[in-house]
């Protein structure tokens, strides 16, 4: 088959790769209909780090991508929820599928493997920016797509919408809270939309790109450029700060800003992938001193994805969140390198790209 294959930083190529085969009765093979590029894929594109993986060092070749939907072409013997031809959405990562944690949707605590195995960030799970994908642990880490969920929404449910939902819920947001989301990439934009749908009284967003600020204002957020945001948000909250901050960037400066914007007793949820170069600052004493002084709770983590689906399906079915207009550009799989370059550049008003192998 053809797939997008990681050859090194800024060198993701449309390339030949062996077809996936079923390696377990708990797995599926799908023909990929749609996939996207996650902001965290840009970390491997830049030669940064994701968890233990350092992409500046030589890597064995692997298929990239962890935001994939498709149609089932082959079912494992132990996948009773699926038939050939079903539309399926695949969580960005999979656990073993057999342990108690996997059974309750808490994939991050899977006892059958080291936590945090995502598709397409290493050769452990080949990625879904490809014509075909082996879906692991399909009964616990994937789901047939309900009819009312569009292809665009389904792609968002593989990661971005679920990560956003995780961030908002993990911060303990309640109805009537004031919320600030730092960063209006796809995850930040979904977090703002989900916070409003779940009853936030006001949602402020911060992003340097004017087009992204305009998009988040279109669904009801109040959006500011970084240089004026702190003063504006303090002013809007009577000098108090917001109840909940969702940080969707991962830089030392934005993590520090998230603690500054939180009210005394507030809560911060860090979703941006924290980079090696920022860790000493972000995890160091100054932000923690400020957090302690303000009694701000700090949450950081990687979403399970699957445990966000029930509430997100309900919100999509009720039309309370949309998300579809987030996809600003479409590409064929053969144009994958162009898709990465555009998404990385943030040019041309790009928010999220859709890649359709069938184009
Ligand atoms: Zn991701
Ligand atoms: Zn497990």
């Amino acid at each position: 088959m053809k797939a997008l294959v990681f050859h090194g930083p800024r060198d993701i190529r449309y390339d030949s790769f062996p077809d996936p085969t079923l390696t377990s009765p708990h797995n599926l093979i799908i023909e990929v209909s749609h996939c996207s590029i996650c902001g965290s894929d840009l970390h491997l594109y830049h030669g940064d780090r994701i968890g233990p993986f350092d992409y500046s060092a030589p890597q064995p070749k692997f298929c990239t991508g962890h935001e994939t939907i498709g149609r089932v072409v082959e079912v494992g013997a132990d996948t009773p929820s699926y038939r050939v031809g079903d539309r399926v959405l695949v969580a960005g990562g999979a656990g073993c599928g057999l342990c108690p944690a996997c059974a309750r949707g808490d994939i991050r605590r899977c006892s059958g493997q080291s936590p945090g195995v995502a598709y397409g960030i290493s050769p452990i799970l080949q990625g879904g920016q490809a014509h075909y994908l082996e879906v692991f642990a399909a009964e616990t880490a994937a789901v047939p797509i309900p009819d009312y969920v569009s292809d665009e929404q389904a792609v968002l449910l593989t990661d971005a919408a679920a990560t956003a939902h995780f961030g908002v819920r993990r911060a303990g947001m309640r109805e009537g809270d004031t919320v600030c989301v730092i960063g209006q990439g796809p995850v930040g934009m979904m977090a703002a939309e989900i916070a409003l749908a779940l009853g936030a009284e006001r949602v402020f967003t911060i992003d340097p790109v004017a087009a992204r600020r305009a998009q988040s204002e279109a669904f009801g957020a109040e959006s500011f450029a970084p240089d004026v945001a702190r003063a504006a948000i303090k002013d809007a909250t009577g000098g108090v700060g917001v109840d909940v901050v969702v940080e969707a960037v991962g830089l030392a400066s934005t993590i520090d800003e998230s603690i500054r914007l939180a009210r005394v007793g507030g809560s911060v949820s860090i979703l941006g992938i924290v980079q090696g170069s920022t860790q000493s600052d972000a995890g160091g004493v100054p932000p923690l001193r400020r957090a302690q002084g303000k009694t701000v709770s700090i949450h950081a983590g990687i979403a399970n994805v699957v445990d966000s689906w029930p509430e997100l399906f309900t919100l999509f079915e009720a039309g309370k969140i949309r998300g579809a207009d987030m996809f600003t550009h479409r590409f064929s799989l053969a144009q994958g390198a162009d898709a990465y370059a555009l998404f990385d550049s943030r040019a041309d008003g790009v928010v999220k790209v859709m890649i359709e192998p069938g184009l």
Side-chain angles (χ1 to χ4, degrees):
M1 69 170 180
K2 291 283 192 178
L4 301 189
V5 177
F6 184 79
H7 284 256
R10 297 185 191 278
D11 190 10
I12 291 173
R13 296 181 207 165
Y14 182 64
D15 207 351
S16 296
F17 204 84
D19 286 344
T21 53
L22 271 185
T23 59
S24 156
H26 305 287
N27 298 356
L28 307 169
I29 305 290
I30 64 168
E31 182 175 12
V32 175
S33 63
H34 301 76
C35 56
S36 185
I37 303 172
C38 177
S40 62
D41 291 331
L42 293 180
H43 294 312
L44 57 97
Y45 190 67
H46 294 155
D48 301 335
R49 299 186 64 103
I50 299 176
F53 305 107
D54 179 357
Y55 301 100
S56 65
Q59 301 281 329
K61 287 180 188 171
F62 59 89
C63 300
T64 51
H66 58 260
E67 300 190 348
T68 297
I69 67 168
R71 285 196 184 272
V72 176
V73 292
E74 198 176 345
V75 290
D78 293 328
T79 59
S81 302
Y82 298 91
R83 300 283 176 274
V84 169
D86 283 351
R87 295 166 76 217
V88 53
L89 92 88
V90 184
C96 72
L98 303 172
C99 72
C102 279
R104 63 174 187 267
D106 196 0
I107 289 174
R108 298 285 305 169
R109 291 201 203 181
C110 173
S111 59
Q113 56 164 40
S114 60
V117 176
Y119 290 93
I121 63 167
S122 77
I124 298 171
L125 293 185
Q126 296 296 338
Q129 289 162 356
H131 279 284
Y132 294 93
L133 174 70
E134 183 179 21
V135 178
F136 284 74
E139 292 293 323
T140 56
V143 71
I145 301 173
D147 288 340
Y148 55 82
V149 171
S150 70
D151 294 329
E152 287 79 8
Q153 290 169 342
V155 170
L156 292 170
L157 286 162
T158 63
D159 182 358
T163 293
H165 175 263
F166 162 81
V168 170
R169 281 298 186 207
R170 190 150 166 83
M173 194 210 87
R174 290 173 292 204
E175 272 188 59
D177 275 355
T178 50
V179 175
C180 176
V181 183
I182 302 179
Q184 288 294 281
V187 169
M189 216 176 271
M190 288 296 326
E193 202 172 357
I194 289 167
L196 283 165
L198 294 177
E201 186 194 340
R202 292 175 82 173
V203 173
F204 307 99
T205 62
I206 304 175
D207 197 279
V209 180
R212 293 183 172 193
R213 295 198 298 274
Q215 256 201 292
S216 82
E217 296 225 313
F219 60 70
E222 301 165 62
S223 198
F224 301 102
D227 55 334
V228 300
R230 194 191 305 164
I233 292 167
K234 283 280 160 84
D235 192 49
T237 55
V240 170
V242 296
D243 299 302
V244 165
V245 182
V246 176
E247 196 282 342
V249 182
L251 296 174
S253 58
T254 50
I255 292 169
D256 184 52
E257 190 65 20
S258 67
I259 297 164
R260 291 176 183 271
L261 288 167
R263 64 172 299 150
V264 171
S267 176
V268 168
S269 199
I270 297 169
L271 296 178
I273 300 292
V274 178
Q275 289 306 294
S277 58
T278 68
Q279 272 172 8
S280 59
D281 305 319
V285 170
L288 280 185
R289 185 186 297 143
R290 184 172 288 113
Q292 183 177 42
K294 294 174 71 174
T295 316
V296 166
S297 305
I298 300 178
H299 306 266
I302 308 287
N304 280 317
V305 177
V306 299
D307 55 359
S308 289
W309 287 341
E311 187 160 45
L312 288 171
F313 282 154
T314 304
L315 292 175
F316 276 124
E317 187 171 23
K320 291 189 173 176
I321 49 174
R322 301 158 303 155
D325 39 5
M326 203 164 291
F327 290 91
T328 50
H329 294 73
R330 278 171 201 275
F331 294 89
S332 68
L333 193 64
Q335 297 168 312
D338 296 336
Y340 267 90
L342 177 74
F343 186 51
D344 181 47
S345 73
R346 302 191 200 172
D348 197 27
V350 65
V351 177
K352 198 152 178 66
V353 301
M354 184 69 94
I355 298 174
E356 297 182 46
L359 279 182

